[in-house]
Amino acid sequence: MIYYEVIEKKIIDNVYEIKIANFNVKPKAGQYVSLILPSKAEIPLGVGDYDEGNNKLKLYVESEKLANEIGKRVILKGPLGKPLDFTNVRTIVGIAYGKLYHDLLYPLKIAYQNKIVTFAKCIDCKLNYDEPRSIEDADLILVSAPLQLLYGLKVPRKKTLVFNRWVKMNCNLGVCGVCEVKGKLTCIDGPFMRLDDLVD
């Protein structure tokens, strides 16, 4: 078991930003880590950012109770999950609801570094965005929103990937099956999953 040092914890837009030192494996776009606390099961968290030069990992925690449980050292498992594939992708649209925009920050940063044009649209949150003429023009659409909002989302389903954050995950290794959604395991096939695999 490896312990990682928490070097900073602060509140930004009512979300706790946690910085971890000496995380030596660079996550790929779309991957996540599992936070292991003594008092509860594993908690999956999307990667907020990664500073490769200094091996610093940035995570975001929405719950004050959970943030208060994070001390000076934490146990992390990961990176986990299926990385996003940006092959033949020229334009990405990111759509986020409220403070959930932090789920999209790292994938959009990686896309930008790879010279992929990115646009970010925010619903009910503070984020500047530039919108393409038509969402149909995007090669890939990344979404972070509550499950109930996905049913009314007017986007091309086959090229829309949703950060599946509402499913309980236990083992994060595809063994327990708790995170199964319509025959797919979120911890292995996600956390970004096709919209048409999540909603009818």
Side-chain angles (χ1 to χ4, degrees):
M1 225 176 276
I2 301 174
Y3 286 88
Y4 295 96
E5 182 187 0
V6 175
I7 54 174
E8 188 177 1
K9 182 166 43 170
K10 63 183 177 182
I11 299 177
I12 297 176
D13 274 349
N14 297 317
V15 177
Y16 291 83
E17 181 183 275
I18 315 290
K19 288 186 182 174
I20 311 290
N22 301 317
F23 194 81
N24 297 322
V25 182
K26 181 182 179 182
K28 294 179 180 171
Q31 288 189 302
Y32 72 100
V33 296
S34 180
L35 172 67
I36 303 170
L37 294 173
S39 62
K40 33 176 94 209
E42 297 185 30
I43 299 152
L45 296 172
V47 174
D49 198 4
Y50 184 72
D51 179 352
E52 192 171 5
N54 296 308
N55 295 334
K56 290 180 185 172
L57 179 71
K58 190 184 292 182
L59 304 171
Y60 291 94
V61 174
E62 294 152 37
S63 161
E64 181 180 2
K65 183 179 176 186
L66 177 60
N68 289 336
E69 285 190 54
I70 297 173
K72 294 181 180 179
R73 297 190 316 154
V74 293
I75 301 170
L76 295 174
K77 183 163 61 176
L80 303 165
K82 183 179 178 183
L84 294 171
D85 183 5
F86 292 146
T87 306
N88 299 321
V89 173
R90 295 182 324 277
T91 305
I92 296 177
V93 172
I95 301 174
Y97 179 86
K99 59 188 175 183
L100 303 185
Y101 67 87
H102 57 78
D103 293 333
L104 306 182
L105 292 175
Y106 188 63
L108 292 177
K109 174 185 173 181
I110 297 296
Y112 181 77
Q113 289 174 343
N114 290 334
K115 308 280 191 264
I116 298 170
V117 180
T118 59
F119 299 91
K121 180 174 183 178
C122 208
I123 305 168
D124 189 29
C125 66
K126 300 171 187 172
L127 186 66
N128 294 326
Y129 69 90
D130 188 7
E131 199 169 352
R133 290 191 182 104
S134 168
I135 205 162
E136 302 286 335
D137 296 336
D139 298 313
L140 180 64
I141 301 160
L142 300 179
V143 175
S144 183
L147 177 61
Q148 64 271 20
L149 290 185
L150 298 181
Y151 293 93
L153 204 57
K154 292 179 171 51
V155 293
R157 290 188 169 205
K158 289 187 178 176
K159 55 184 178 180
T160 299
L161 299 177
V162 178
F163 189 86
N164 190 356
R165 58 179 5 267
W166 54 86
V167 171
K168 179 175 173 48
M169 288 197 260
N170 264 353
C171 71
N172 294 288
L173 297 172
V175 177
C176 70
V178 170
C179 65
E180 185 267 332
V181 178
K182 297 185 180 179
K184 294 186 183 273
L185 296 173
T186 303
C187 66
I188 300 296
D189 300 308
F192 281 92
M193 301 176 75
R194 270 181 42 167
L195 178 59
D196 53 359
D197 286 335
L198 296 173
V199 298
D200 297 324

PDB file of all heavy atoms in Angstrom, residues 41-53:
ATOM      1  N   ALA A  41     -15.614   2.637   2.123  1.00  0.00           N
ATOM      2  CA  ALA A  41     -15.146   1.923   0.926  1.00  0.00           C
ATOM      3  C   ALA A  41     -14.368   2.871   0.020  1.00  0.00           C
ATOM      4  O   ALA A  41     -14.223   4.047   0.314  1.00  0.00           O
ATOM      5  CB  ALA A  41     -16.349   1.338   0.188  1.00  0.00           C
ATOM      6  N   GLU A  42     -13.918   2.336  -1.073  1.00  0.00           N
ATOM      7  CA  GLU A  42     -13.179   3.147  -2.032  1.00  0.00           C
ATOM      8  C   GLU A  42     -14.100   4.187  -2.677  1.00  0.00           C
ATOM      9  O   GLU A  42     -15.266   3.911  -2.935  1.00  0.00           O
ATOM     10  CB  GLU A  42     -12.583   2.248  -3.106  1.00  0.00           C
ATOM     11  CG  GLU A  42     -11.577   1.258  -2.561  1.00  0.00           C
ATOM     12  CD  GLU A  42     -10.909   0.455  -3.650  1.00  0.00           C
ATOM     13  OE1 GLU A  42     -10.754   0.972  -4.775  1.00  0.00           O
ATOM     14  OE2 GLU A  42     -10.519  -0.681  -3.371  1.00  0.00           O
ATOM     15  N   ILE A  43     -13.540   5.359  -2.936  1.00  0.00           N
ATOM     16  CA  ILE A  43     -14.309   6.446  -3.524  1.00  0.00           C
ATOM     17  C   ILE A  43     -13.657   6.845  -4.842  1.00  0.00           C
ATOM     18  O   ILE A  43     -12.519   7.338  -4.850  1.00  0.00           O
ATOM     19  CB  ILE A  43     -14.369   7.653  -2.573  1.00  0.00           C
ATOM     20  CG1 ILE A  43     -15.050   7.230  -1.270  1.00  0.00           C
ATOM     21  CG2 ILE A  43     -15.110   8.811  -3.206  1.00  0.00           C
ATOM     22  CD1 ILE A  43     -14.626   7.994  -0.083  1.00  0.00           C
ATOM     23  N   PRO A  44     -14.338   6.612  -5.972  1.00  0.00           N
ATOM     24  CA  PRO A  44     -13.760   6.993  -7.261  1.00  0.00           C
ATOM     25  C   PRO A  44     -13.819   8.509  -7.459  1.00  0.00           C
ATOM     26  O   PRO A  44     -14.832   9.146  -7.174  1.00  0.00           O
ATOM     27  CB  PRO A  44     -14.650   6.265  -8.276  1.00  0.00           C
ATOM     28  CG  PRO A  44     -15.943   6.044  -7.565  1.00  0.00           C
ATOM     29  CD  PRO A  44     -15.640   5.962  -6.107  1.00  0.00           C
ATOM     30  N   LEU A  45     -12.709   9.073  -7.943  1.00  0.00           N
ATOM     31  CA  LEU A  45     -12.638  10.508  -8.197  1.00  0.00           C
ATOM     32  C   LEU A  45     -12.000  10.742  -9.560  1.00  0.00           C
ATOM     33  O   LEU A  45     -10.959  10.159  -9.878  1.00  0.00           O
ATOM     34  CB  LEU A  45     -11.785  11.210  -7.128  1.00  0.00           C
ATOM     35  CG  LEU A  45     -12.302  11.183  -5.693  1.00  0.00           C
ATOM     36  CD1 LEU A  45     -11.253  11.742  -4.749  1.00  0.00           C
ATOM     37  CD2 LEU A  45     -13.597  11.965  -5.572  1.00  0.00           C
ATOM     38  N   GLY A  46     -12.620  11.593 -10.350  1.00  0.00           N
ATOM     39  CA  GLY A  46     -12.036  11.966 -11.634  1.00  0.00           C
ATOM     40  C   GLY A  46     -10.761  12.764 -11.428  1.00  0.00           C
ATOM     41  O   GLY A  46     -10.603  13.456 -10.423  1.00  0.00           O
ATOM     42  N   VAL A  47      -9.846  12.653 -12.361  1.00  0.00           N
ATOM     43  CA  VAL A  47      -8.602  13.415 -12.293  1.00  0.00           C
ATOM     44  C   VAL A  47      -8.890  14.856 -12.707  1.00  0.00           C
ATOM     45  O   VAL A  47      -9.417  15.103 -13.784  1.00  0.00           O
ATOM     46  CB  VAL A  47      -7.533  12.795 -13.229  1.00  0.00           C
ATOM     47  CG1 VAL A  47      -6.287  13.672 -13.286  1.00  0.00           C
ATOM     48  CG2 VAL A  47      -7.190  11.384 -12.775  1.00  0.00           C
ATOM     49  N   GLY A  48      -8.561  15.792 -11.829  1.00  0.00           N
ATOM     50  CA  GLY A  48      -8.767  17.202 -12.136  1.00  0.00           C
ATOM     51  C   GLY A  48      -7.641  17.776 -12.959  1.00  0.00           C
ATOM     52  O   GLY A  48      -7.850  18.559 -13.872  1.00  0.00           O
ATOM     53  N   ASP A  49      -6.410  17.342 -12.637  1.00  0.00           N
ATOM     54  CA  ASP A  49      -5.242  17.797 -13.385  1.00  0.00           C
ATOM     55  C   ASP A  49      -4.047  16.960 -12.945  1.00  0.00           C
ATOM     56  O   ASP A  49      -4.088  16.278 -11.912  1.00  0.00           O
ATOM     57  CB  ASP A  49      -4.965  19.284 -13.133  1.00  0.00           C
ATOM     58  CG  ASP A  49      -4.050  19.910 -14.190  1.00  0.00           C
ATOM     59  OD1 ASP A  49      -3.689  19.219 -15.169  1.00  0.00           O
ATOM     60  OD2 ASP A  49      -3.701  21.086 -14.038  1.00  0.00           O
ATOM     61  N   TYR A  50      -2.991  17.037 -13.751  1.00  0.00           N
ATOM     62  CA  TYR A  50      -1.746  16.354 -13.402  1.00  0.00           C
ATOM     63  C   TYR A  50      -0.582  17.194 -13.903  1.00  0.00           C
ATOM     64  O   TYR A  50      -0.538  17.580 -15.072  1.00  0.00           O
ATOM     65  CB  TYR A  50      -1.685  14.960 -14.022  1.00  0.00           C
ATOM     66  CG  TYR A  50      -0.456  14.180 -13.606  1.00  0.00           C
ATOM     67  CD1 TYR A  50      -0.348  13.674 -12.316  1.00  0.00           C
ATOM     68  CD2 TYR A  50       0.601  13.985 -14.485  1.00  0.00           C
ATOM     69  CE1 TYR A  50       0.782  12.976 -11.909  1.00  0.00           C
ATOM     70  CE2 TYR A  50       1.735  13.290 -14.089  1.00  0.00           C
ATOM     71  CZ  TYR A  50       1.823  12.782 -12.802  1.00  0.00           C
ATOM     72  OH  TYR A  50       2.945  12.102 -12.406  1.00  0.00           O
ATOM     73  N   ASP A  51       0.342  17.494 -13.002  1.00  0.00           N
ATOM     74  CA  ASP A  51       1.551  18.251 -13.327  1.00  0.00           C
ATOM     75  C   ASP A  51       2.680  17.235 -13.495  1.00  0.00           C
ATOM     76  O   ASP A  51       3.241  16.740 -12.514  1.00  0.00           O
ATOM     77  CB  ASP A  51       1.858  19.235 -12.201  1.00  0.00           C
ATOM     78  CG  ASP A  51       3.115  20.053 -12.450  1.00  0.00           C
ATOM     79  OD1 ASP A  51       3.853  19.758 -13.420  1.00  0.00           O
ATOM     80  OD2 ASP A  51       3.369  20.980 -11.663  1.00  0.00           O
ATOM     81  N   GLU A  52       2.985  16.925 -14.756  1.00  0.00           N
ATOM     82  CA  GLU A  52       3.955  15.871 -15.040  1.00  0.00           C
ATOM     83  C   GLU A  52       5.360  16.241 -14.575  1.00  0.00           C
ATOM     84  O   GLU A  52       6.120  15.385 -14.116  1.00  0.00           O
ATOM     85  CB  GLU A  52       3.965  15.575 -16.544  1.00  0.00           C
ATOM     86  CG  GLU A  52       4.710  14.331 -16.915  1.00  0.00           C
ATOM     87  CD  GLU A  52       4.511  13.949 -18.370  1.00  0.00           C
ATOM     88  OE1 GLU A  52       3.868  14.709 -19.125  1.00  0.00           O
ATOM     89  OE2 GLU A  52       5.013  12.887 -18.745  1.00  0.00           O
ATOM     90  N   GLY A  53       5.701  17.504 -14.637  1.00  0.00           N
ATOM     91  CA  GLY A  53       7.030  17.934 -14.220  1.00  0.00           C
ATOM     92  C   GLY A  53       7.285  17.733 -12.737  1.00  0.00           C
ATOM     93  O   GLY A  53       8.406  17.462 -12.305  1.00  0.00           O
TER      94      GLY A  53
END
